Amino acid sequence: MDVFAAGEPRVIEGYADHDDVMTGVFMLPLDEHGLLSVASVEPRTFSAAERDLLGILARSVVAAFDRVWA
């Protein structure tokens, strides 16, 4: 996936085009651990505050994974 390779968060609007019930997805890379994906089933955008909060969560998950697999 592009998000994982690029290492940059991305919002994908109109995800329902992929035959799924989700309409918007916010994906955050977790370094070499994978991706954190947050989706909405209703049309909406992710606010700056939500993006910041999810960024903090993603960094915390990476730190926890790094400690577990160190």
Side-chain angles (χ1 to χ4, degrees), residues 2-3 7 19 23-24 27 32 34 38 45 50 52-53 61 67-68:
D2 296 348
V3 177
D19 295 328
T23 59
M27 296 183 178
E32 70 273 3
V38 178
T45 58
E50 290 170 322
D52 289 344
L53 180 61
V61 169
R67 284 191 302 273
V68 168

Side-chain angles (χ1 to χ4, degrees), residues 12-13 16 19 22 25 32 37 39 41 53 66 69:
I12 301 173
E13 303 282 340
D19 295 328
M22 298 176 287
V25 179
E32 70 273 3
S37 299
V41 295
L53 180 61
D66 288 346
W69 289 311

Side-chain angles (χ1 to χ4, degrees), residues 4-43:
F4 183 72
E8 293 294 323
R10 183 189 307 168
V11 174
I12 301 173
E13 303 282 340
Y15 194 81
D17 295 340
H18 301 282
D19 295 328
D20 210 331
V21 296
M22 298 176 287
T23 59
V25 179
F26 185 33
M27 296 183 178
L28 299 101
L30 300 174
D31 292 345
E32 70 273 3
H33 306 293
L35 290 172
L36 171 64
S37 299
V38 178
S40 174
V41 295
E42 297 178 10

